[in-house]
Amino acid sequence: MTNLDQTTATENNSTSKTAAERYGIMEMPTLEYTPEVAKETAHLYEKVKHHIPEIEWPIHAPYVHAINKIKKERNAVILAHNYMTPEIFHCVADVAGDSLQLAMEAEKVDADIIVQCGVHFMAETSKLLSPSKTVLIPDMKAGCSLAESLTGEDVRLLREANPGVPIVTYVNTSADVKAESDICCTSSNAVRVVESFESDTILLIPDEYLAQNVAKLTKKKILPWKGHCEVHERFTPEELLAYKEADPVIQIVAHPECPPEVVDVADFSGSTSGMIDFAIGQKLGAKVLLVTECSMASNIQEQAEGVEFIKPCNLCPHMKRITLPNILEALVYMREEVVVDPVMAEKARHAVERMVNLKTN
Ligand code: SF4
């Protein structure tokens, strides 16, 4: 059974009323590009005009207008990951960031409903940290090659095979996996989390490349799992060196989910927020190649004004399942709801909170 199947099964068993029954469904608005829609969305087009041709805006604008109206009526917030397309990221999102930032911000907002524009494990993490809110994902099939490489049962077997070895799981995992682990980590705090244990050996799972990259920065023996992000594993050192050879001033910035030989040729390696800070800190006219999902450069261009982004462009097919039409459907029809079994949620939340507390201590 996949993680998605497990959540759906849990949902069916534990929820007596669906979100649609609790909140009611609305009528689908007319999606026409009227003068009123054009006027009320003009300021939003300004934010995306470098990424969306003017001729295409009449297709997006009616959705943007309807989503922004209905989300207020529903008292909903839209959380958008950095890998969402610019019309989602800039025109309908209330909170944008990486998966953990989104979940932590979602906890603070005064809303009944969260619409998670990202993949399934992110919606679960939001539900863990905001159990009283209704969490919707516009497409339940928005999965993740990395998260799906490991199940809670795998973690239990790893624990049996490695008695006494602490288990650190990356936040890009299902609630089932988090619930079986000792603590979570992000790509920015993984070294710190690993070093917080006295044990000389640590299981750091499921991202094999993150584990290998962390192993280079600590004296601990790191045991990995063979999970990979299908976006970051596609980059090669040869491809990046070719860019550098063509233009030596290009700064290469790689995510630690990339293979170690890719990270080795980068000028900087860091988490999503670390990559953004690096780009923003560059001088006017700098050229930066972000070795990550393609949409991120478009989404941060405004913050890094004057920086030219080189885009080798690997798209995440899972993230790209989220679109303006299915966000609107989520709000109108109140679907698909993400529910986590309360016992599992309690254990998984503990693993996340242990990491967060470590960060602030
Ligand atoms: S970018 Fe990679 S880690 Fe993120 S959702 Fe896609 S496959 Fe998963």
Side-chain angles (χ1 to χ4, degrees):
M1 197 186 244
T2 67
N3 293 327
L4 300 193
D5 293 336
Q6 281 173 354
T7 302
T8 306
T10 304
E11 180 182 339
N12 291 340
N13 292 340
S14 66
T15 311
S16 52
K17 280 190 174 178
T18 64
E21 287 166 341
R22 297 200 303 279
Y23 293 93
I25 61 171
M26 290 178 160
E27 204 170 311
M28 181 58 79
T30 318
L31 295 163
E32 283 172 27
Y33 189 59
T34 60
E36 185 205 351
V37 170
K39 190 174 166 212
E40 290 187 9
T41 58
H43 66 294
L44 295 171
Y45 183 63
E46 280 302 300
K47 296 184 178 188
V48 293
K49 66 182 179 192
H50 298 302
H51 312 293
I52 298 175
E54 208 172 341
I55 198 168
E56 283 181 21
W57 185 240
I59 300 168
H60 299 299
Y63 286 99
V64 167
H65 186 254
I67 289 167
N68 286 333
K69 184 167 176 283
I70 295 178
K71 80 179 179 191
K72 280 195 195 122
E73 291 167 12
R74 291 284 201 194
N75 191 25
V77 286
I78 295 185
L79 309 187
H81 190 267
N82 293 304
Y83 299 169
M84 289 294 108
T85 49
E87 68 276 11
I88 295 174
F89 189 90
H90 288 295
C91 302
V92 299
D94 298 290
V95 184
D98 64 29
S99 58
L100 189 64
Q101 280 170 337
L102 292 179
M104 290 174 69
E105 287 301 315
E107 244 186 313
K108 298 179 205 158
V109 294
D110 178 21
D112 298 320
I113 298 159
I114 292 170
V115 181
Q116 190 85 32
C117 296
V119 296
H120 190 265
F121 76 79
M122 296 176 183
E124 281 192 331
T125 310
S126 292
K127 184 68 187 175
L128 295 180
L129 298 187
S130 300
S132 63
K133 294 183 179 123
T134 294
V135 177
L136 304 176
I137 188 162
D139 187 337
M140 194 57 100
K141 292 196 190 78
C144 166
S145 65
L146 183 54
E148 285 158 30
S149 71
L150 185 71
T151 65
E153 179 59 15
D154 293 326
V155 184
R156 286 190 285 278
L157 292 172
L158 280 170
R159 199 181 284 286
E160 267 173 45
N162 298 276
V165 176
I167 300 184
V168 179
T169 55
Y170 194 27
V171 284
N172 294 22
T173 48
S174 64
D176 181 31
V177 164
K178 288 185 178 80
E180 295 299 327
S181 58
D182 293 304
I183 187 168
C184 288
C185 75
T186 65
S187 50
S188 59
N189 66 19
V191 175
R192 185 153 176 236
V193 170
V194 159
E195 292 191 341
S196 70
F197 288 94
E198 284 184 3
S199 169
D200 292 336
T201 306
I202 312 283
L203 269 152
L204 176 55
I205 52 177
D207 191 319
E208 183 182 28
Y209 297 142
L210 177 71
Q212 289 170 346
N213 287 320
V214 167
K216 290 194 285 183
L217 304 172
T218 176
K219 290 196 170 78
K220 306 268 184 199
K221 182 179 177 193
I222 304 292
L223 305 179
W225 179 257
K226 275 212 169 298
H228 298 144
C229 160
E230 67 183 84
V231 172
H232 293 103
E233 74 172 346
R234 266 184 269 154
F235 294 100
T236 64
E238 294 76 21
E239 170 193 13
L240 302 180
L241 288 170
Y243 278 102
K244 196 87 169 171
E245 206 179 319
D247 191 346
V249 303
I250 289 176
Q251 298 274 308
I252 297 179
V253 184
H255 194 280
E257 287 170 20
C258 294
E261 53 276 21
V262 166
V263 170
D264 286 346
V265 302
D267 298 287
F268 174 80
S269 172
S271 62
T272 303
S273 43
M275 294 172 86
I276 294 172
D277 290 345
F278 179 93
I280 292 172
Q282 295 306 297
K283 292 194 198 109
L284 202 71
K287 293 182 183 178
V288 174
L289 188 156
L290 294 182
V291 190
T292 189
E293 215 270 355
C294 199
S295 291
M296 198 165 101
S298 309
N299 291 336
I300 66 167
Q301 181 70 75
E302 254 190 359
Q303 293 167 268
E305 220 180 322
V307 172
E308 182 186 338
F309 286 103
I310 318 296
K311 301 176 187 172
C313 250
N314 281 345
L315 291 171
C316 173
H318 313 291
M319 292 278 189
K320 269 30 190 192
R321 294 189 83 101
I322 309 300
T323 61
L324 288 176
N326 61 25
I327 295 170
L328 179 60
E329 283 178 11
L331 282 164
V332 167
Y333 302 122
M334 291 301 295
R335 68 186 189 205
E336 309 272 347
E337 186 176 11
V338 174
V339 178
V340 183
D341 173 84
V343 177
M344 183 197 288
E346 179 63 33
K347 288 167 72 186
R349 189 163 40 247
H350 180 70
V352 176
E353 284 173 352
R354 196 170 168 196
M355 170 189 72
V356 172
N357 292 338
L358 191 73
K359 211 172 165 182
T360 50
N361 284 341

